[in-house]
Amino acid sequence: MKKIFTTFAFVLVFLNSQYFIAQQINKSQTQQDIEFQKAEKETERTLAENHRKLDDRISELNRQQKELEKQKKEIESKKKSLSKSENNLKSTKDKISRLEHENQKLENKITTASISEEEIAKQKLKTKENEVSIQKLKLTQITQEKELEKAMSAL
């Protein structure tokens, strides 16, 4: 009987230890599940935060790109304005030079050629008209030089 009792006690202890081990394994599995869920939630939260940061950064970069494109257009416009001012100034200087050259020819013609008084008067009148045109062009030139300086300072 003692043997049966010992065997029964041994089986009972063995079964109890198996039950205890099964409970520990179950607790361990539950804890792992909870930790896994916590880690999943933390990962999702971190992922959402990173996506938000990336979206904010993309928005900021898009805004900066639009600003840079706007500045680029402004610079191109200023360059065109500068080029136009330079061309206008050059054209005006050429016109002045051409009129001065024409006046020199007329003055030489008046002094060297033997022409009638009426023709001399016409030539002097033409010279005076050219002088007036030259003065107007010089005023235009001054205005264009100021515009050119303004365009250059804008760059």
Side-chain angles (χ1 to χ4, degrees), residues 133-148:
S133 294
I134 288 171
Q135 292 306 316
K136 285 180 182 178
L137 287 172
K138 284 186 178 182
L139 287 174
T140 304
Q141 179 183 356
I142 291 170
T143 304
Q144 289 172 341
E145 286 173 346
K146 287 180 181 178
E147 288 176 8
L148 179 63

Side-chain angles (χ1 to χ4, degrees), residues 68-82:
L68 287 174
E69 287 172 0
K70 182 181 174 184
Q71 289 175 354
K72 182 181 175 184
K73 286 180 183 178
E74 287 176 3
I75 289 173
E76 287 173 0
S77 173
K78 289 176 182 178
K79 283 183 179 180
K80 286 180 184 178
S81 176
L82 177 63

Side-chain angles (χ1 to χ4, degrees), residues 18-34:
Q18 290 295 334
Y19 176 74
F20 181 72
I21 290 172
Q23 275 185 329
Q24 283 185 335
I25 289 173
N26 193 18
K27 272 186 183 178
S28 177
Q29 184 66 35
T30 305
Q31 286 175 341
Q32 285 178 350
D33 288 345
I34 290 171

Side-chain angles (χ1 to χ4, degrees), residues 18-56:
Q18 290 295 334
Y19 176 74
F20 181 72
I21 290 172
Q23 275 185 329
Q24 283 185 335
I25 289 173
N26 193 18
K27 272 186 183 178
S28 177
Q29 184 66 35
T30 305
Q31 286 175 341
Q32 285 178 350
D33 288 345
I34 290 171
E35 287 176 16
F36 181 74
Q37 288 174 351
K38 283 181 183 178
E40 253 185 353
K41 285 180 183 178
E42 181 66 25
T43 302
E44 288 174 7
R45 187 187 63 74
T46 304
L47 188 63
E49 184 178 326
N50 287 342
H51 277 286
R52 183 186 51 77
K53 286 179 182 179
L54 285 174
D55 289 343
D56 291 347

Side-chain angles (χ1 to χ4, degrees), residues 48-152:
E49 184 178 326
N50 287 342
H51 277 286
R52 183 186 51 77
K53 286 179 182 179
L54 285 174
D55 289 343
D56 291 347
R57 184 68 177 143
I58 288 170
S59 296
E60 177 68 19
L61 289 173
N62 285 338
R63 187 189 63 74
Q64 288 176 355
Q65 183 179 13
K66 286 179 184 178
E67 183 67 28
L68 287 174
E69 287 172 0
K70 182 181 174 184
Q71 289 175 354
K72 182 181 175 184
K73 286 180 183 178
E74 287 176 3
I75 289 173
E76 287 173 0
S77 173
K78 289 176 182 178
K79 283 183 179 180
K80 286 180 184 178
S81 176
L82 177 63
S83 177
K84 183 179 176 184
S85 294
E86 287 174 340
N87 289 339
N88 287 342
L89 183 59
K90 184 178 182 233
S91 173
T92 302
K93 285 181 178 181
D94 290 344
K95 287 177 186 176
I96 291 171
S97 176
R98 192 173 61 247
L99 286 172
E100 287 175 343
H101 184 68
E102 186 179 329
N103 270 359
Q104 285 178 348
K105 282 184 180 179
L106 290 172
E107 289 291 331
N108 286 341
K109 191 175 184 182
I110 291 171
T111 57
T112 58
S114 55
I115 51 177
S116 69
E117 287 296 319
E118 185 179 316
E119 192 62 33
I120 290 174
K122 285 182 183 179
Q123 297 295 327
K124 284 185 178 182
L125 181 61
K126 180 69 174 168
T127 304
K128 293 292 182 188
E129 287 174 356
N130 284 348
E131 284 296 325
V132 169
S133 294
I134 288 171
Q135 292 306 316
K136 285 180 182 178
L137 287 172
K138 284 186 178 182
L139 287 174
T140 304
Q141 179 183 356
I142 291 170
T143 304
Q144 289 172 341
E145 286 173 346
K146 287 180 181 178
E147 288 176 8
L148 179 63
E149 287 176 12
K150 185 178 177 181
M152 289 174 79

